[in-house]
Amino acid sequence: MLRYAVIGGGIVGAALADRLAGEGASVTLLEQDRPGRATSRWSLAWLNAAAKTPEAYHRLNADGMRAWARLAAELDGHAWYRPVGNLEVADAGRRDRLEATVTRARAWGYAARLVDRDEAAGIEPALRLPDAPARDLSFAWFPEEGYLLTEPLVERLVARARRRGARVHTGDAGRVTGLQRAGEAAWGGGTERAGEAGQVTGAKGPGDRIIGVRTAAGDLVPADVVVCCAGRWTAGVAAMAGIRVPIVDPEPPGSTAPGFVVRVGPVEVPPTRVLHTPGVHLRPHGPHTVHLEAGDVTADLHTPEPVLRDLADTLLERARRVVPSLREARVQEYRVCVRPMPADGMPVAGAVGAVPGLYVVVTHSGVTLAAHLAELVTRELLEDVRLPELAPYRLERFTEDSGRAAS
Ligand SMILES: Cc1cc2nc3c(=O)[nH]c(=O)nc-3n(C[C@H](O)[C@H](O)[C@H](O)COP(=O)(O)OP(=O)(O)OC[C@H]3O[C@@H](n4cnc5c(N)ncnc54)[C@H](O)[C@@H]3O)c2cc1C
C-alpha cells in the first residue's frame, strides 16, 4: 500500500488527510504548529462563487460549496457550517459591477437575484442601510452562500482523520525540513535552488522517487507520495525539491498577499448573514463576535503596530454605522494574515511531473474549495488518473509562460 505524507494542517491539508484516510489510504499529516492556526484561522471564510470567472473556476467553487454541504451532514455541521446567504449592498460606483455579477451568475444557473431596499432590510434586520437615494444603491442576495467556522471544522477533520487511521505529527515532529529521494542522503533543508516553475534544478537527476520527509525533530517519515498543502509556505516547501511554485511574495511593502482582519464584540444582536457593504465586509463569528474586513483598509507585513490599531478602530467605526448593535463592541483581535495566492490567482493542484511522488495543492479561496479539492485530489492520487476538472490548474501552466507567471 502506498504511504501518503500530507504537509500542512490548514483547511486544505486537513480536508485531504481526512478524505484519504476515509478511503483507507495510509496517511501521515505533518503540521509544524497546531492544525488550523494559520491563514485558515483568520479567513473571512465566505463560501462563494458568484463573482468568480471564468465559468470553469466558478463551477469549481460552486462544487466546493456543495461539497461542504455533504460533509456537514456527516461531520457535526452544526458546529461549523453556516449556509446563511450573502447580502451585498453596492453604491453608485459599484452597482453596475454587482448587477453584471448577478446577471452572469444566474445565466450559469447560480442562485442570485437583485432585491429592493425593503427586502434587503428584511433579509438582515441587524443592518442599517445607508441613507442614500434608492437609485444610488443596489442590493443583491445570494441565498446559497455562507461561511465556515474553520477552527471547529479543522479540529473535527483532523480528529476524524485520526479515527480513520491517519498519523498526525505536530510541532517539531511535524515541521518538514527536507524531502528525501531514493539513493540520496537528506535532500532539502534550504540548500536547493528553485528553477523554472514545475522544473527541477540542481544536481538531482530526474526520476528518483521521493521516499520520505525529514522533520525538525530529526525523523525521517517514510512516504511514497508527498502532498504539499503548506499554504503561504508552499514556495519554501517546494524549493526543498528544487521546484518553483510561483505564488505572490507577501514580503515586499504593498504586496497584495497580506490581508487585514479584525474581530470585534460583544454584539447584542449579531447579524446573521455574510454582509458586503460599501465600507466594510462582515459576518458573525460565534454568538457575540463579528469578523470585519474591507477592500480599502489594507496593511502589509511591515505596517507598524500603532497603524494597525488605528485601522482596526476605523473598521469598527464603519461596522457600527451599518450594524448599530455593535455600539458597545470593542476590538478583540486584529491580524495581518497572508493569502496563499498563486501568481495568476488560480489554484495549483496536481502531480509535479519533474519530481515523481510530489503533488502540490495551493490556492486562494481555499475555504470555499478545500472539501471539493480533497475529493478530486484523492481520486487523482488513489485512482492514478488526471481529472479534467483540475486540468486548468496544473503547475506546468507556468512553465509555458514563466516570465508572465513570475512577474
Ligand atoms: C484576509 C483573508 C480573507 C480570505 N477570505 C476568504 C474567503 O472569504 N473565502 C475563501 O474561500 N477563502 C478566503 N481566503 C483564503 C483562504 O483563507 C485560504 O485559501 C485558505 O485558508 C488556505 O488554506 P491552507 O490550508 O492552504 O493554508 P493554511 O491555513 O495557512 O495552512 C497551511 C499549513 O501548513 C503548515 N506548514 C507550512 N509549512 C510547513 C512545513 N514545512 N512543515 C509542516 N507544516 C507546514 C502551516 O503551519 C499551516 O498550518 C482568505 C484569506 C485571507 C488571508
Side-chain angles (χ1 to χ4, degrees), residues 254-255 258-260 294-300 303 307-308 311 315 336 339:
S255 168
F260 184 62
D296 64 338
V297 178
T298 56
D300 62 30
T303 307
V307 177
L308 294 179
L311 291 176
L315 273 181
V336 178
R339 301 176 178 86

Side-chain angles (χ1 to χ4, degrees), residues 154-388:
V154 170
E155 202 177 293
R156 281 164 175 76
L157 287 168
V158 173
R160 188 169 73 169
R162 279 187 205 269
R163 290 198 299 277
R164 289 171 154 180
R167 293 161 295 280
V168 181
H169 298 190
T170 58
D172 279 354
R175 183 188 301 273
V176 173
T177 54
L179 310 183
Q180 188 153 342
R181 288 202 291 181
E184 290 180 336
W187 187 30
T191 57
E192 296 302 320
R193 185 174 58 84
E196 292 303 319
Q199 291 181 339
V200 72
T201 61
K204 315 299 175 242
D208 288 342
R209 288 199 69 83
I210 286 177
I211 58 167
V213 299
R214 294 222 165 253
T215 73
D219 305 320
L220 171 64
V221 177
D224 306 294
V225 179
V226 171
V227 189
C228 176
C229 301
R232 62 173 288 200
W233 294 273
T234 296
V237 172
M240 295 174 191
I243 291 294
R244 189 172 74 89
V245 177
I247 62 176
V248 177
D249 183 354
E251 282 299 330
S255 168
T256 54
F260 184 62
V261 307
V262 181
R263 291 192 175 149
V264 301
V267 55
E268 297 154 30
V269 185
T272 52
R273 316 295 186 183
V274 179
L275 299 172
H276 286 79
T277 74
V280 63
H281 309 156
L282 53 122
R283 65 158 169 86
H285 187 77
H288 306 296
T289 307
V290 174
H291 175 110
L292 310 178
E293 295 182 22
D296 64 338
V297 178
T298 56
D300 62 30
L301 296 179
H302 311 280
T303 307
E305 181 60 30
V307 177
L308 294 179
R309 178 72 221 189
D310 285 351
L311 291 176
D313 288 339
T314 300
L315 273 181
L316 174 56
E317 209 36 61
R318 289 187 187 182
R320 282 190 182 130
R321 270 182 240 141
V322 291
V323 177
S325 57
L326 281 169
R327 78 181 64 82
E328 302 295 328
R330 298 280 171 272
V331 171
Q332 293 178 333
E333 299 179 288
Y334 54 89
R335 178 68 60 113
V336 178
C337 45
V338 175
R339 301 176 178 86
M341 182 68 85
D344 61 1
M346 291 289 134
V348 171
V352 179
V355 181
L358 180 63
Y359 195 106
V360 174
V361 189
V362 59
T363 184
H364 184 52
S365 287
V367 173
T368 303
L369 291 171
H372 185 48
L373 284 178
E375 294 170 348
L376 297 174
V377 171
T378 295
R379 283 191 56 202
E380 289 213 331
L381 292 171
L382 300 188
E383 297 170 22
D384 197 18
V385 291
R386 287 168 74 86
L387 297 172

Side-chain angles (χ1 to χ4, degrees), residues 8 10-12 31-32 38-40 43 45-46 174 176 363-368:
I11 197 166
V12 172
E31 166 53 52
Q32 63 185 357
T39 303
S40 300
S43 180
W46 165 36
V176 173
T363 184
H364 184 52
S365 287
V367 173
T368 303

Side-chain angles (χ1 to χ4, degrees), residues 85-119:
N86 166 44
L87 180 67
E88 300 211 16
V89 183
D91 56 18
R94 292 187 168 258
R95 63 177 297 167
D96 287 354
R97 191 192 304 178
L98 182 61
E99 291 175 13
T101 295
V102 169
T103 304
R104 187 184 57 235
R106 289 173 67 89
W108 288 343
Y110 191 78
R113 65 192 167 85
L114 296 172
V115 296
D116 64 20
R117 190 180 177 100
D118 287 347
E119 190 173 357

